């Protein structure tokens, strides 16, 4: 990984840095200050591409407009440039255009890799493995920094409890505890030991706050969030990211409890700066400052800019015509003070200095090429894809496949050999030539020992409404020419019938999930269900590989398909990893980071609900369908098996003397044994339930986990501490954190249905 984690000389030296900031600030005009607070997209769309109308963007005029602003020294930051030569050219315009030579900070959505594409974030979360997650984002940071990107708009730490929302794929799922661990690991991976570490980038957790709760799962729609849900569920991953040192936070698009999140003083002052103690800079989501006027909150752009700045949005991300260009006018009209601009300019300049941009604004283009091609990055991606996969079902031990016992394999389905879909959404700088599809991976793994036949069986399903990412090209699947639906399906059936095992790859096309990709159904799009049923009807054993970023309606598959492996969108090396899993070179060990509903009508469905009236009927809340999950949170099978025993607490009681003070913590220990015949991973999960108190508490909450690798027959004692940090919660009645005196149930096991339990109590003392 090259020079390991060398912080630059500017990183620790705060007083020198502050002095330099003041010196720069003193030399700036109001327009230059407003410019430092403006971040522009720089779009070069492919030849003939049409810009998404909603962006209000003229693709040919936009770059010219940005270059003119660079020439005036009025651009603080750019985004969406990934070519190092372009970065250098634009950086030169910034440095030479600015009277004090202030470089631009380049940001980009490095979400799950830049050139080496990792499994999508929800998949990385499904690894339940912070080390894998950190390693992945360190690779992403290294590639990004090599091409001249200094800052990523990631991780997305929005808790998502409604899978209709397409951006569930960008986060860590439904749980705040898992979400916090994943958020912190990503920040560590992106930033390294300190802001300004070599080969790392600034991390920007987003979207502050509550964006995952869009009404009806409709992206951008309003969010109405209870106080309890905000503090106990939504904020913990942000708190963890900030505590891990995140240098940036991004605002959210939507209204939160009736006020646009980007104009909400309480959110930024009281919560982010005070409660979470965030020290970095805040960027708006794209055009979100302008949107304050669109929302009917600010009367015009000048007011939108003034109000966003006043609540602490330091930098405006803009496509064109930024509201912050009106800041000098807003100061002149007394709508905002110049001091308010100064506060934000200081934060932006401090970030640039910490990153060493003044010393080295340019990148080495040859080195960038080398870094992007580093084969070690592909190895990390392959391991990540192996660790992310979740084995949902494996009746009769159909998996792993033993190639020596098979003669032929049918690899079917429209996603089996689709490079673009294998990568998933939110990637831009990928290389399709090096992308390994499931078919490629299987073929490479079995060589000519097995006869592998493939056909998609059905045509791709298309979105009803196009995606805004279509403008970048190659996003929507192409309609195949002269496709004969009946003949193609018949061919798939024939291949399945003639094979020893059929591997069917189904899910959502990658353009159906991500931003502005919400759905009203969880059904498999297009004719996929028909294909699956036809293949199963041949009697050939079927392995279903699900390519997805949200739960899909697999009710039929969960009854009729013996083996179901969730491979997510597994990334550049996805097919290689999938072959490793199918053939048993590694055992699946990923776990669901969300509750998998049976049907869309159940959502939102979470494991950590409270106990309510008639809890005995919790599974029968609908007259037509069980209200239980299809697969529970934390579920995932293995090629081995595990037994849990000897669950103990090292003390029966903790004493509270009021507030959040406890006289120590309880150590929970459990012995986990690999009772199967092969090495495999188990994710040991600890859940807690508070039996009584000053609020109703969830039936279970995750409060500890550890992914362990155990050899056949090996046992290990796993320990989890439980203290005030795990037992406290935000109480909406007193509007503060509390630790109640109560009895607590503890369960440890391999999913949220773990039944090995014990108890301890918190008692009042002193
Ligand atoms: C998204 C952000 C993203 C930004 C820049 C917005 O539409 O909401 O998450 O970072 O675009 O691409």
């Amino acid at each position: 990984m090259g020079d390991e984690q060398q912080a630059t000389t500017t990183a620790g030296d705060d007083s020198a840095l502050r002095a330099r900031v003041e010196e720069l600030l003193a030399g700036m005009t109001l327009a230059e200050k407003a410019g430092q607070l403006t971040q522009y997209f720089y779009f070069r769309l492919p030849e003939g591409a049409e810009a998404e109308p909603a962006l209000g963007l003229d693709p040919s005029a936009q770059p010219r407009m940005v270059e003119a602003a660079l020439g005036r020294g009025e651009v603080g930051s750019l985004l969406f440039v990934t070519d190092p030569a372009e970065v250098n050219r634009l950086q030169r315009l910034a440095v030479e255009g600015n009277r004090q030579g202030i470089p631009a900070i380049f940001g980009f959505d490095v979400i799950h890799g830049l050139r080496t594409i990792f499994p999508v974030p929800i998949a990385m979360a499904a690894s339940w493995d912070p080390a894998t997650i950190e390693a992945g984002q360190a690779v992403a940071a290294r590639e990004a920094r090599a091409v001249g990107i200094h800052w990523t708009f990631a991780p997305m730490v929005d808790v998502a409890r409604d899978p209709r929302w397409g951006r569930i794929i960008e986060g860590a799922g439904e749980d705040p505890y898992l979400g916090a661990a994943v958020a912190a690991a990503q920040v560590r991976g992106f930033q390294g030991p300190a802001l300004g570490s070599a080969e790392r980038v600034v991390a920007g957790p987003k979207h502050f706050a509550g964006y995952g709760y869009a009404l009806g799962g409709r992206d951008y729609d309003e969010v109405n969030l209870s106080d309890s849900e905000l503090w106990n569920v939504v904020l913990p991953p942000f708190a963890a990211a900030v505590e891990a040192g995140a240098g940036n936070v991004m605002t959210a698009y939507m209204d939160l409890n009736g006020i646009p999140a980007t104009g909400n003083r309480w959110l930024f002052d009281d919560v982010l700066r005070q409660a979470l103690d965030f020290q970095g800079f805040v960027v708006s989501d794209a055009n979100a400052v302008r949107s304050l006027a669109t929302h009917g909150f600010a009367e015009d752009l000048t007011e939108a800019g003034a109000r966003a700045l006043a609540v602490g949005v330091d930098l405006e991300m803009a496509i064109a015509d930024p509201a912050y260009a009106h800041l000098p006018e807003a100061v002149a009209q007394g709508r905002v003070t110049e001091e308010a601009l100064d506060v934000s300019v200081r934060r932006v300049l401090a970030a640039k200095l910490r990153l060493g941009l003044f010393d080295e604004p340019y990148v080495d283009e040859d080195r960038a090429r080398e870094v992007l091609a580093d084969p070690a990055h592909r190895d990390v991606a392959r391991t990540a894809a192996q660790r992310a996969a979740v084995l949902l079902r494996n009746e009769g031990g159909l998996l792993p496949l033993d190639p020596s016992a098979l003669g032929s394999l049918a690899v079917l389905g429209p996603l089996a050999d689709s490079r673009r879909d294998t990568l998933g959404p939110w990637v831009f700088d990928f290389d399709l030539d090096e992308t390994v599809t499931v078919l490629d991976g299987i073929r490479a793994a079995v060589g000519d020992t097995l006869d592998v036949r493939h056909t998609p069986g059905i045509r791709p399903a298309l979105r009803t409404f196009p995606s805004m990412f279509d403008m970048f090209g190659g996003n929507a699947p192409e309609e195949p020419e002269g496709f004969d639906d009946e003949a193609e399906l018949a061919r798939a059936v024939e291949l399945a019938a003639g094979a020893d095992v059929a591997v069917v790859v189904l899910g959502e096309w990658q353009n159906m999930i991500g931003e502005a990709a919400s759905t009203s159904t969880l059904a498999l799009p297009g004719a996929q269900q028909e294909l699956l049923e036809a293949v199963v009807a041949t009697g050939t054993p079927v392995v279903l590989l699900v390519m997805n970023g949200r739960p899909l309606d697999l009710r039929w598959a969960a009854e009729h398909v013996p083996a179901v492996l969730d491979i997510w969108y597994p990334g550049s090396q996805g097919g290689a990893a999938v072959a490793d899993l199918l053939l048993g070179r590694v055992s699946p060990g990923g776990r669901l980071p969300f509750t998998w509903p049976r049907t869309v009508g159940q959502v939102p469905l979470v494991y950590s609900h409270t106990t309510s009236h008639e809890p005995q009927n919790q599974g029968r809340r609908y007259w037509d369908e069980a209200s239980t999950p299809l697969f529970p949170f934390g579920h995932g099978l293995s090629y081995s098996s595990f037994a849990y025993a000897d669950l103990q607490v090292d003390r029966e009681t903790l004493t509270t003397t009021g507030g959040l003070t406890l006289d120590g913590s309880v150590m929970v220990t459990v012995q986990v044994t690999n009772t199967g015949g092969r090495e495999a991973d188990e994710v040991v999960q600890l859940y807690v339930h508070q039996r009584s108190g000053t609020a109703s508490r969830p039936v279970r909450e995750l409060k500890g986990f550890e992914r362990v690798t155990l050899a056949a027959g090996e046992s290990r004692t796993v320990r989890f501490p439980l203290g005030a940090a795990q037992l406290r919660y935000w109480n909406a009645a007193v509007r503060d954190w509390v630790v109640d005196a109560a009895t607590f149930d503890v369960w440890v096991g391999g999913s949220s249905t773990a039944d090995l339990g014990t108890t301890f109590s918190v008692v009042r003392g002193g």
Side-chain angles (χ1 to χ4, degrees), residues 41 79-80 109 153 167 170 206-207 211 220 250 253 285-286 317 426 468 515:
F41 277 82
L79 77 148
F80 249 78
D109 292 279
F153 310 128
R167 301 195 82 169
E170 286 178 62
K206 65 188 184 185
H207 306 81
Y211 182 36
Y220 314 140
M250 186 186 286
Y253 278 134
D285 201 345
M317 182 188 286
W426 270 122
M468 70 172 173
E515 186 174 352

Side-chain angles (χ1 to χ4, degrees), residues 323-386:
Y324 278 12
H326 300 259
L327 285 176
E329 173 192 321
V331 172
Q333 293 170 0
R335 297 197 198 194
V336 71
T337 61
E338 184 161 359
E339 286 70 46
L341 268 77
D342 290 350
V343 168
S344 293
V345 174
R346 282 192 189 98
R347 290 183 184 136
V348 171
L349 292 177
K352 292 181 178 181
L353 285 162
R354 288 213 168 84
L355 285 164
L357 295 192
F358 285 81
D359 306 330
E360 193 45 83
Y362 305 108
V363 277
D364 178 338
E365 293 164 36
D366 292 331
R367 181 151 188 289
R369 265 184 291 278
E370 268 169 44
V371 170
L372 292 183
D374 191 339
H377 295 184
R378 279 64 185 173
D379 295 342
V380 184
R382 181 168 176 166
T383 305
Q386 292 168 350

